[in-house]
Amino acid sequence: MTLSTTAVVVCPYDALLPERGVAALLGSRQIALFRVFSGELFALGNQDPVSGANVMSRGIVGSRGDVPTVASPMFKQVYDLRTGVCLDDPSLVLPVYPVRVVDGEVIVGD
């Protein structure tokens, strides 16, 4: 589920390292930002739905076939970066936020 939110400049695009996540605050919500090797960006909720801990930004970035993924660092459930749906248990879903780059700055929100 993609959540609508007010657009916020989060950081310069170059501050994000490929295949690494970072946490950011969007109002009172924590998000996890990911930049993959292709340069594409993804913004998901940072709270692991299983443990309740805000750790998804520390997850392991990878892929299953053509699907870019992040694995929870807590119990290793794997989530689709594009949709937030858990590939191991589709009942688990992370919120997804729109993200784009404008003039070298990462903007999360509509």
XYZ file of all heavy atoms in Angstrom:
812
model
N 0.832 -1.155 0.000
C 0.000 0.000 0.000
C 0.889 1.234 0.000
O 1.725 1.412 0.865
C -0.892 -0.013 1.233
C -1.568 1.291 1.487
S -2.786 1.315 2.831
C -1.828 0.811 4.208
N 0.719 2.098 -0.984
C 1.463 3.338 -1.056
C 0.722 4.405 -0.267
O -0.467 4.613 -0.461
C 1.634 3.789 -2.515
O 2.323 2.769 -3.232
C 2.423 5.077 -2.598
N 1.433 5.028 0.663
C 0.826 6.038 1.508
C 1.074 7.421 0.950
O 2.169 7.729 0.506
C 1.396 5.953 2.917
C 1.091 4.675 3.671
C 1.726 4.711 5.048
C -0.401 4.455 3.789
N 0.053 8.236 0.989
C 0.173 9.621 0.572
C 0.690 10.436 1.747
O 0.266 10.248 2.878
C -1.197 10.143 0.133
O -1.092 11.474 -0.254
N 1.600 11.318 1.467
C 2.140 12.174 2.511
C 2.681 13.439 1.863
O 2.956 13.466 0.665
C 3.243 11.435 3.311
O 3.671 12.260 4.378
C 4.409 11.063 2.442
N 2.822 14.468 2.634
C 3.370 15.720 2.132
C 4.822 15.509 1.712
O 5.583 14.844 2.417
C 3.306 16.793 3.236
O 1.956 16.943 3.634
C 3.853 18.121 2.746
N 5.197 16.072 0.579
C 6.558 15.904 0.067
C 7.566 16.583 0.991
O 7.360 17.720 1.420
C 6.662 16.491 -1.331
N 8.626 15.840 1.289
C 9.688 16.330 2.172
C 11.033 16.022 1.531
O 11.270 14.890 1.092
C 9.606 15.644 3.554
C 10.773 16.044 4.440
C 8.283 15.958 4.230
N 11.920 17.025 1.470
C 13.287 16.773 1.024
C 14.008 16.072 2.160
O 14.052 16.577 3.280
C 14.010 18.082 0.655
C 15.463 17.805 0.303
C 13.298 18.777 -0.492
N 14.581 14.896 1.859
C 15.183 14.081 2.910
C 16.700 14.223 2.945
O 17.284 14.402 4.006
C 14.780 12.603 2.738
C 15.476 11.722 3.767
C 13.276 12.448 2.849
N 17.342 14.142 1.774
C 18.804 14.200 1.744
C 19.266 14.298 0.296
O 18.484 14.061 -0.624
C 19.417 12.952 2.387
S 19.069 11.414 1.505
N 20.533 14.617 0.080
C 21.067 14.569 -1.287
C 21.115 13.110 -1.778
O 21.398 12.204 -0.983
C 22.485 15.130 -1.164
C 22.535 15.806 0.159
C 21.522 15.137 1.031
N 20.851 12.922 -3.058
C 20.879 11.577 -3.633
C 22.228 10.906 -3.399
O 22.308 9.723 -3.064
C 20.564 11.646 -5.128
C 20.641 10.325 -5.843
C 19.595 9.417 -5.751
C 21.754 9.991 -6.616
C 19.652 8.200 -6.401
C 21.816 8.772 -7.270
C 20.765 7.888 -7.167
O 20.828 6.676 -7.808
N 23.306 11.666 -3.541
C 24.653 11.104 -3.393
C 24.962 10.654 -1.972
O 25.943 9.938 -1.755
C 25.706 12.122 -3.834
C 25.650 12.385 -5.328
O 25.092 11.533 -6.057
O 26.152 13.432 -5.761
N 24.154 11.061 -1.001
C 24.378 10.626 0.384
C 23.947 9.183 0.597
O 24.328 8.569 1.603
C 23.638 11.539 1.355
N 23.153 8.640 -0.344
C 22.681 7.257 -0.219
C 23.648 6.326 -0.932
O 23.943 6.513 -2.105
C 21.281 7.121 -0.818
C 20.200 8.000 -0.178
C 18.895 7.851 -0.940
C 20.024 7.642 1.289
N 24.125 5.329 -0.220
C 25.038 4.349 -0.807
C 24.244 3.215 -1.437
O 23.236 2.772 -0.880
C 25.970 3.789 0.268
C 26.857 4.812 0.971
C 27.657 4.152 2.082
C 27.774 5.500 -0.034
N 24.695 2.713 -2.599
C 23.989 1.602 -3.234
C 23.938 0.372 -2.322
O 24.907 0.060 -1.635
C 24.829 1.306 -4.483
C 25.552 2.577 -4.761
C 25.806 3.198 -3.419
N 22.751 -0.249 -2.312
C 22.501 -1.494 -1.571
C 22.557 -1.308 -0.055
O 22.735 -2.284 0.681
C 23.460 -2.600 -2.007
C 23.410 -2.883 -3.501
C 22.085 -3.451 -3.974
O 21.613 -4.435 -3.399
O 21.517 -2.888 -4.943
N 22.422 -0.072 0.412
C 22.379 0.206 1.844
C 21.126 1.005 2.147
O 20.688 1.815 1.336
C 23.602 1.023 2.283
C 24.939 0.407 1.973
C 25.301 -0.772 2.852
N 25.369 -0.494 4.262
C 26.481 -0.185 4.910
N 27.619 -0.078 4.278
N 26.446 0.026 6.212
N 20.591 0.809 3.325
C 19.433 1.568 3.743
C 19.804 2.631 4.756
O 20.834 2.530 5.425
N 18.956 3.651 4.853
C 19.104 4.662 5.886
C 17.708 4.972 6.442
O 16.707 4.838 5.750
C 19.752 5.968 5.373
C 21.161 5.736 4.892
C 18.916 6.613 4.317
N 17.675 5.359 7.686
C 16.415 5.737 8.320
C 16.261 7.250 8.258
O 17.246 7.987 8.278
C 16.399 5.265 9.768
N 15.010 7.695 8.166
C 14.714 9.126 8.171
C 13.373 9.325 8.853
O 12.539 8.417 8.885
C 14.676 9.666 6.741
N 13.203 10.507 9.411
C 11.925 10.854 10.019
C 11.099 11.652 9.028
O 11.581 12.607 8.415
C 12.141 11.709 11.265
C 12.144 11.005 12.602
C 12.373 12.004 13.725
C 10.904 10.203 12.853
N 9.861 11.250 8.861
C 8.908 11.942 8.001
C 7.761 12.367 8.924
O 6.855 11.587 9.184
C 8.426 10.998 6.915
C 7.987 11.579 5.610
C 9.119 12.259 4.899
C 7.384 10.504 4.733
N 7.848 13.551 9.476
C 6.917 13.930 10.540
C 7.227 13.060 11.750
O 8.342 13.050 12.237
N 6.256 12.309 12.201
C 6.472 11.408 13.334
C 6.704 9.966 12.889
O 6.850 9.085 13.726
C 5.268 11.466 14.275
O 4.106 11.045 13.585
N 6.728 9.726 11.564
C 6.912 8.367 11.048
C 8.354 8.121 10.643
O 8.981 8.982 10.013
C 6.027 8.133 9.817
C 4.566 8.041 10.148
C 3.779 7.832 8.911
N 3.550 9.161 8.309
C 2.789 9.389 7.289
N 2.193 8.403 6.685
N 2.630 10.602 6.826
N 8.856 6.946 11.000
C 10.184 6.546 10.536
C 10.048 5.830 9.202
O 9.178 4.977 9.037
C 10.852 5.608 11.531
C 11.318 6.285 12.789
C 12.244 5.387 13.586
O 12.936 4.522 13.044
N 12.257 5.604 14.885
N 10.906 6.204 8.269
C 10.929 5.518 6.983
C 12.322 4.920 6.769
O 13.292 5.337 7.403
C 10.570 6.449 5.811
C 11.590 7.582 5.688
C 9.163 6.976 5.955
C 11.471 8.346 4.392
N 12.377 3.953 5.886
C 13.640 3.339 5.475
C 13.826 3.638 3.994
O 12.960 3.312 3.179
C 13.606 1.835 5.719
N 14.930 4.306 3.662
C 15.236 4.647 2.261
C 16.295 3.700 1.744
O 17.285 3.433 2.434
C 15.808 6.063 2.181
C 14.861 7.220 2.012
C 15.639 8.521 2.094
C 14.102 7.124 0.727
N 16.110 3.227 0.507
C 17.067 2.321 -0.107
C 17.408 2.801 -1.512
O 16.528 3.203 -2.263
C 16.498 0.897 -0.199
C 16.165 0.301 1.127
C 14.880 0.385 1.639
C 17.140 -0.332 1.876
C 14.568 -0.166 2.873
C 16.852 -0.881 3.107
C 15.562 -0.793 3.608
N 18.687 2.737 -1.843
C 19.163 2.982 -3.215
C 19.795 1.681 -3.674
O 20.717 1.158 -3.031
C 20.190 4.099 -3.227
C 20.834 4.342 -4.561
C 21.863 5.444 -4.452
N 22.716 5.473 -5.627
C 23.816 6.211 -5.707
N 24.191 6.975 -4.688
N 24.540 6.190 -6.796
N 19.307 1.139 -4.791
C 19.844 -0.121 -5.287
C 20.892 0.167 -6.363
O 21.071 1.306 -6.782
C 18.718 -1.043 -5.820
C 17.772 -1.441 -4.689
C 17.963 -0.387 -6.951
N 21.604 -0.886 -6.805
C 22.697 -0.699 -7.759
C 22.250 -0.014 -9.048
O 23.016 0.727 -9.660
C 23.369 -2.023 -8.103
C 24.369 -2.475 -7.075
C 24.330 -3.750 -6.562
C 25.368 -1.619 -6.604
C 25.242 -4.176 -5.614
C 26.282 -2.024 -5.651
C 26.230 -3.315 -5.156
N 21.010 -0.228 -9.465
C 20.522 0.412 -10.690
C 20.330 1.917 -10.509
O 20.126 2.634 -11.477
C 19.192 -0.221 -11.115
O 18.172 0.111 -10.185
N 20.359 2.389 -9.250
C 20.131 3.798 -8.964
C 18.715 4.094 -8.516
O 18.415 5.205 -8.074
N 17.832 3.104 -8.650
C 16.444 3.292 -8.264
C 16.332 3.434 -6.742
O 17.082 2.819 -5.992
C 15.630 2.093 -8.744
C 14.147 2.303 -8.724
C 13.402 1.157 -9.406
O 14.025 0.154 -9.795
O 12.183 1.286 -9.511
N 15.357 4.250 -6.314
C 15.125 4.484 -4.887
C 13.810 3.864 -4.449
O 12.852 3.805 -5.214
C 15.068 5.984 -4.602
C 16.325 6.792 -4.861
C 16.039 8.269 -4.621
C 17.458 6.320 -3.976
N 13.786 3.468 -3.166
C 12.573 2.932 -2.557
C 12.449 3.501 -1.156
O 13.454 3.666 -0.454
C 12.633 1.405 -2.479
C 12.781 0.748 -3.817
C 14.041 0.394 -4.288
C 11.682 0.515 -4.610
C 14.193 -0.200 -5.535
C 11.821 -0.075 -5.858
C 13.077 -0.432 -6.320
N 11.215 3.793 -0.740
C 10.954 4.277 0.619
C 9.856 3.410 1.231
O 8.759 3.296 0.676
C 10.534 5.738 0.595
N 10.182 2.790 2.354
C 9.256 1.902 3.052
C 9.166 2.335 4.507
O 10.016 3.077 5.005
C 9.762 0.453 3.010
C 10.049 -0.161 1.645
C 10.764 -1.488 1.813
C 8.763 -0.350 0.878
N 8.181 1.774 5.216
C 8.133 1.970 6.657
C 9.344 1.310 7.293
O 9.810 0.273 6.829
N 9.845 1.912 8.350
C 11.046 1.385 8.994
C 10.728 0.349 10.062
O 11.620 -0.337 10.543
C 11.855 2.535 9.614
C 13.267 2.128 9.948
O 13.879 1.326 9.253
N 13.796 2.694 11.019
N 9.440 0.219 10.425
C 9.078 -0.697 11.513
C 8.835 -2.118 10.991
O 7.994 -2.345 10.133
C 7.826 -0.205 12.236
C 7.516 -1.028 13.475
C 6.355 -0.448 14.245
O 5.304 -0.163 13.671
N 6.559 -0.263 15.534
N 9.605 -3.053 11.523
C 9.448 -4.468 11.193
C 8.080 -4.922 11.707
O 7.813 -4.825 12.905
C 10.567 -5.254 11.868
C 10.505 -6.748 11.603
O 9.445 -7.252 11.191
O 11.531 -7.410 11.811
N 7.187 -5.423 10.829
C 5.851 -5.815 11.275
C 5.855 -6.994 12.247
O 4.907 -7.167 13.002
C 5.118 -6.206 9.988
C 5.967 -5.814 8.864
C 7.344 -5.556 9.377
N 6.897 -7.787 12.256
C 6.930 -8.967 13.135
C 7.446 -8.592 14.522
O 6.812 -8.884 15.535
C 7.801 -10.090 12.522
C 7.914 -11.268 13.475
C 7.222 -10.524 11.184
N 8.567 -7.913 14.594
C 9.160 -7.600 15.896
C 8.667 -6.275 16.470
O 8.737 -6.057 17.677
C 10.686 -7.544 15.767
O 11.075 -6.402 15.021
N 8.193 -5.375 15.595
C 7.782 -4.043 16.043
C 8.951 -3.076 16.189
O 8.746 -1.922 16.522
N 10.160 -3.541 15.947
C 11.342 -2.685 16.068
C 11.544 -1.866 14.788
O 11.251 -2.332 13.681
C 12.579 -3.534 16.330
N 12.046 -0.663 14.934
C 12.332 0.199 13.776
C 13.727 -0.124 13.242
O 14.695 0.554 13.564
C 12.212 1.665 14.179
C 10.782 2.066 14.385
O 9.947 1.891 13.496
N 10.467 2.570 15.556
N 13.796 -1.158 12.416
C 15.090 -1.684 11.977
C 15.184 -1.980 10.485
O 16.243 -2.415 10.015
C 15.431 -2.989 12.742
C 15.633 -2.716 14.218
C 14.358 -4.050 12.514
N 14.104 -1.748 9.728
C 14.131 -2.186 8.322
C 15.240 -1.499 7.522
O 15.769 -2.071 6.575
C 12.773 -1.969 7.663
C 11.664 -2.841 8.227
S 12.063 -4.608 8.283
C 12.248 -5.000 6.554
N 15.617 -0.273 7.915
C 16.698 0.418 7.204
C 18.029 -0.314 7.354
O 18.954 -0.061 6.588
C 16.835 1.858 7.704
O 17.164 1.870 9.087
N 18.125 -1.204 8.310
C 19.340 -1.986 8.534
C 19.264 -3.358 7.891
O 20.142 -4.210 8.096
C 19.612 -2.153 10.026
C 19.802 -0.849 10.748
C 21.062 -0.183 10.288
N 21.251 1.087 10.973
C 21.788 2.142 10.425
N 22.187 2.109 9.174
N 21.939 3.240 11.099
N 18.198 -3.586 7.103
C 18.002 -4.882 6.472
C 18.996 -5.147 5.352
O 19.718 -4.258 4.894
N 19.019 -6.387 4.940
C 19.924 -6.826 3.876
C 19.223 -6.659 2.533
O 18.179 -7.258 2.282
C 20.337 -8.290 4.094
C 21.041 -8.424 5.440
C 21.218 -8.775 2.950
C 21.206 -9.856 5.903
N 19.799 -5.820 1.662
C 19.223 -5.550 0.342
C 19.699 -6.622 -0.631
O 20.858 -7.020 -0.620
C 19.632 -4.150 -0.153
C 19.101 -3.877 -1.549
C 19.149 -3.082 0.827
N 18.787 -7.096 -1.450
C 19.137 -8.127 -2.427
C 18.047 -8.241 -3.476
O 17.390 -7.245 -3.805
N 17.844 -9.449 -3.982
C 16.784 -9.670 -4.965
C 16.378 -11.136 -4.948
O 17.151 -12.003 -4.537
C 17.244 -9.270 -6.368
O 18.323 -10.080 -6.770
N 15.160 -11.358 -5.376
C 14.666 -12.701 -5.676
C 14.202 -12.638 -7.123
O 13.174 -12.009 -7.418
C 13.505 -13.104 -4.774
C 13.927 -13.613 -3.437
C 12.799 -14.303 -2.718
N 13.216 -14.662 -1.380
C 12.405 -15.091 -0.455
N 11.102 -15.219 -0.713
N 12.857 -15.404 0.726
N 14.991 -13.227 -7.997
C 14.701 -13.088 -9.417
C 14.846 -11.633 -9.800
O 15.879 -11.020 -9.531
N 13.809 -11.048 -10.375
C 13.827 -9.644 -10.778
C 13.279 -8.707 -9.697
O 13.178 -7.511 -9.916
C 13.011 -9.453 -12.059
C 13.648 -10.145 -13.248
O 14.870 -10.376 -13.216
O 12.913 -10.452 -14.213
N 12.918 -9.256 -8.563
C 12.279 -8.466 -7.513
C 13.331 -7.922 -6.539
O 14.025 -8.700 -5.883
C 11.253 -9.324 -6.731
C 10.629 -8.509 -5.594
C 10.192 -9.858 -7.665
N 13.472 -6.578 -6.451
C 14.398 -6.020 -5.455
C 13.810 -6.222 -4.062
O 12.614 -6.005 -3.842
C 14.476 -4.537 -5.839
C 13.200 -4.255 -6.531
C 12.783 -5.533 -7.216
N 14.656 -6.624 -3.110
C 14.146 -6.999 -1.795
C 14.990 -6.423 -0.669
O 16.136 -6.026 -0.862
C 14.137 -8.537 -1.634
O 15.473 -9.019 -1.736
C 13.249 -9.199 -2.657
N 14.390 -6.466 0.510
C 15.120 -6.211 1.750
C 14.671 -7.273 2.752
O 13.489 -7.566 2.869
C 14.883 -4.785 2.293
C 13.439 -4.510 2.632
C 15.789 -4.533 3.499
N 15.646 -7.853 3.450
C 15.356 -8.850 4.482
C 15.442 -8.192 5.845
O 16.391 -7.459 6.133
C 16.341 -10.006 4.396
N 14.444 -8.433 6.664
C 14.452 -7.880 8.019
C 15.683 -8.372 8.771
O 15.991 -9.568 8.745
C 13.188 -8.311 8.768
O 13.340 -8.004 10.145
N 16.372 -7.475 9.466
C 17.529 -7.917 10.242
C 17.134 -8.691 11.496
O 17.992 -9.287 12.141
C 18.246 -6.614 10.596
C 17.182 -5.584 10.577
C 16.197 -6.022 9.525
N 15.837 -8.678 11.849
C 15.398 -9.370 13.069
C 15.127 -10.843 12.792
O 15.798 -11.707 13.321
C 14.141 -8.691 13.636
C 14.370 -7.259 14.054
S 15.538 -7.107 15.411
C 14.521 -7.623 16.764
N 14.108 -11.153 11.998
C 13.704 -12.547 11.786
C 13.821 -12.971 10.330
O 13.380 -14.033 9.960
C 12.290 -12.766 12.318
C 12.187 -12.511 13.792
C 11.478 -11.424 14.276
C 12.817 -13.343 14.706
C 11.392 -11.176 15.637
C 12.741 -13.104 16.070
C 12.028 -12.013 16.538
N 14.411 -12.127 9.481
C 14.803 -12.442 8.107
C 13.658 -12.593 7.110
O 13.865 -13.133 6.024
C 15.678 -13.701 8.055
C 16.835 -13.704 9.045
C 17.735 -12.511 8.896
C 18.914 -12.603 9.859
N 19.373 -11.321 10.339
N 12.439 -12.095 7.436
C 11.399 -12.089 6.405
C 11.872 -11.166 5.284
O 12.489 -10.139 5.523
C 10.062 -11.569 6.967
C 9.397 -12.513 7.909
C 9.883 -12.332 9.346
O 10.659 -11.432 9.640
N 9.432 -13.201 10.220
N 11.552 -11.556 4.042
C 12.011 -10.805 2.881
C 10.832 -10.038 2.275
O 9.777 -10.616 2.020
C 12.635 -11.754 1.828
C 13.010 -11.000 0.571
C 13.845 -12.451 2.437
N 11.043 -8.725 2.043
C 10.002 -7.837 1.536
C 10.372 -7.307 0.159
O 11.528 -6.984 -0.098
C 9.809 -6.651 2.485
C 9.303 -7.073 3.839
C 10.194 -7.485 4.831
C 7.946 -7.082 4.123
C 9.730 -7.891 6.073
C 7.483 -7.487 5.366
C 8.381 -7.882 6.336
O 7.918 -8.296 7.562
N 9.355 -7.188 -0.693
C 9.496 -6.581 -2.015
C 9.662 -5.065 -1.820
O 8.772 -4.422 -1.239
C 8.249 -6.891 -2.840
C 8.324 -6.382 -4.271
O 9.024 -5.388 -4.542
O 7.642 -6.987 -5.121
N 10.765 -4.504 -2.270
C 10.990 -3.065 -2.109
C 9.970 -2.232 -2.879
O 9.704 -1.087 -2.523
C 12.408 -2.692 -2.564
C 13.546 -3.059 -1.609
C 14.901 -2.832 -2.292
C 13.462 -2.248 -0.331
N 9.408 -2.782 -3.943
C 8.469 -2.014 -4.765
C 7.082 -1.902 -4.132
O 6.408 -0.906 -4.266
C 8.330 -2.647 -6.148
C 9.658 -2.782 -6.875
C 9.527 -3.647 -8.086
N 9.007 -4.958 -7.676
C 8.724 -5.949 -8.481
N 8.927 -5.812 -9.773
N 8.251 -7.089 -8.016
N 6.650 -2.978 -3.460
C 5.278 -3.034 -2.939
C 5.191 -3.093 -1.423
O 4.115 -2.858 -0.861
C 4.558 -4.276 -3.488
O 5.224 -5.456 -2.986
C 4.567 -4.287 -5.003
N 6.268 -3.475 -0.765
C 6.268 -3.647 0.685
C 5.708 -4.979 1.142
O 5.682 -5.266 2.338
N 5.253 -5.823 0.217
C 4.664 -7.114 0.575
C 5.770 -8.112 0.914
O 6.771 -8.216 0.202
C 3.789 -7.657 -0.583
C 3.281 -9.069 -0.274
C 2.637 -6.715 -0.846
N 5.563 -8.862 1.989
C 6.509 -9.888 2.397
C 6.400 -11.076 1.444
O 5.302 -11.599 1.218
C 6.220 -10.320 3.830
S 7.340 -11.602 4.434
N 7.523 -11.489 0.894
C 7.503 -12.613 -0.047
C 7.369 -13.945 0.676
O 6.993 -14.946 0.069
C 8.778 -12.595 -0.895
C 8.980 -11.328 -1.731
C 10.286 -11.394 -2.506
C 7.808 -11.085 -2.661
N 7.694 -13.971 1.963
C 7.590 -15.201 2.745
C 6.204 -15.371 3.365
O 5.768 -16.489 3.592
C 8.643 -15.200 3.863
C 10.057 -15.071 3.312
O 10.360 -15.763 2.318
O 10.835 -14.272 3.859
N 5.542 -14.269 3.659
C 4.215 -14.281 4.282
C 3.460 -13.053 3.783
O 3.601 -11.966 4.351
C 4.350 -14.257 5.810
C 3.003 -14.239 6.507
O 1.952 -14.129 5.839
O 3.019 -14.324 7.750
N 2.662 -13.196 2.710
C 1.989 -12.032 2.106
C 1.030 -11.288 3.040
O 0.572 -10.204 2.688
C 1.237 -12.637 0.919
C 1.969 -13.903 0.620
C 2.481 -14.415 1.929
N 0.753 -11.834 4.224
C -0.099 -11.089 5.161
C 0.680 -9.953 5.832
O 0.076 -9.074 6.448
C -0.688 -12.027 6.223
O 0.322 -12.488 7.111
N 2.000 -9.982 5.710
C 2.847 -8.931 6.279
C 3.166 -7.911 5.192
O 3.632 -8.286 4.112
C 4.151 -9.518 6.819
C 4.016 -10.567 7.918
C 5.360 -11.191 8.216
C 3.409 -9.951 9.162
N 2.922 -6.650 5.486
C 3.138 -5.594 4.480
C 3.749 -4.374 5.162
O 3.287 -3.947 6.224
C 1.808 -5.185 3.803
C 2.053 -4.095 2.769
C 1.140 -6.391 3.167
N 4.772 -3.825 4.532
C 5.353 -2.555 4.969
C 4.710 -1.429 4.172
O 4.446 -1.591 2.972
C 6.863 -2.537 4.688
C 7.724 -3.510 5.476
C 9.119 -3.575 4.870
C 7.788 -3.091 6.928
N 4.446 -0.280 4.795
C 3.943 0.857 4.014
C 5.006 1.316 3.009
O 6.202 1.240 3.279
C 3.664 1.932 5.064
C 4.416 1.525 6.270
C 4.625 0.046 6.203
N 4.547 1.761 1.855
C 5.428 2.239 0.784
C 5.127 3.719 0.555
O 3.964 4.119 0.534
C 5.194 1.444 -0.515
C 6.023 2.006 -1.657
C 5.495 -0.029 -0.299
N 6.169 4.520 0.368
C 6.016 5.951 0.160
C 6.560 6.327 -1.214
O 7.591 5.785 -1.644
C 6.775 6.737 1.229
C 6.280 6.452 2.624
C 6.875 5.450 3.391
C 5.206 7.141 3.153
C 6.408 5.163 4.667
C 4.736 6.860 4.425
C 5.344 5.870 5.174
O 4.869 5.575 6.430
N 5.903 7.274 -1.899
C 6.460 7.745 -3.171
C 7.797 8.440 -2.923
O 7.941 9.171 -1.937
C 5.413 8.724 -3.703
C 4.441 8.952 -2.617
C 4.665 7.946 -1.539
N 8.765 8.194 -3.802
C 10.091 8.801 -3.654
C 10.612 9.157 -5.042
O 10.373 8.439 -6.011
C 11.053 7.845 -2.891
C 11.238 6.533 -3.612
C 12.391 8.515 -2.617
N 11.299 10.296 -5.124
C 11.848 10.739 -6.412
C 13.066 11.634 -6.145
O 13.291 12.067 -5.016
C 10.801 11.493 -7.227
C 10.326 12.780 -6.568
C 9.129 13.380 -7.313
N 8.705 14.640 -6.784
C 7.932 14.818 -5.727
N 7.492 13.787 -5.069
N 7.600 16.024 -5.311
N 13.802 11.898 -7.207
C 14.956 12.789 -7.111
C 14.670 14.028 -7.953
O 14.278 13.920 -9.114
C 16.241 12.094 -7.617
C 17.419 13.058 -7.571
C 16.531 10.845 -6.799
N 14.842 15.190 -7.349
C 14.683 16.469 -8.039
C 15.924 17.304 -7.744
O 16.228 17.569 -6.568
C 13.410 17.212 -7.578
C 13.310 18.573 -8.246
C 12.166 16.373 -7.849
N 16.625 17.684 -8.804
C 17.834 18.510 -8.665
C 18.821 17.917 -7.672
O 19.419 18.640 -6.853
C 17.471 19.947 -8.258
C 16.658 20.666 -9.312
O 16.821 20.347 -10.512
O 15.846 21.540 -8.953
N 18.962 16.596 -7.701
C 19.930 15.929 -6.845
C 19.487 15.703 -5.417
O 20.251 15.186 -4.604
N 18.252 16.066 -5.091
C 17.722 15.890 -3.736
C 16.664 14.794 -3.738
O 15.824 14.727 -4.642
C 17.101 17.191 -3.220
C 18.067 18.352 -3.145
C 19.096 18.183 -2.042
O 18.796 17.567 -1.008
O 20.230 18.682 -2.228
N 16.685 13.944 -2.702
C 15.697 12.883 -2.553
C 14.473 13.467 -1.858
O 14.577 14.058 -0.779
C 16.263 11.714 -1.729
C 15.184 10.661 -1.484
C 17.462 11.112 -2.430
N 13.322 13.304 -2.513
C 12.056 13.802 -1.979
C 11.138 12.618 -1.746
O 10.901 11.820 -2.650
C 11.402 14.807 -2.943
C 12.335 16.005 -3.124
C 10.032 15.232 -2.438
C 11.878 16.982 -4.179
N 10.613 12.513 -0.528
C 9.665 11.459 -0.181
C 8.309 12.121 0.018
O 8.200 13.133 0.709
C 10.091 10.711 1.097
C 9.040 9.670 1.482
C 11.450 10.051 0.893
N 7.299 11.553 -0.599
C 5.930 12.068 -0.487
C 5.415 12.519 -1.830
O 6.121 12.501 -2.829
N 4.154 12.916 -1.824
C 3.472 13.320 -3.067
C 3.832 14.730 -3.501
O 4.161 15.563 -2.755
C 1.959 13.243 -2.873
C 1.528 11.834 -2.552
O 2.036 10.894 -3.185
O 0.669 11.686 -1.680
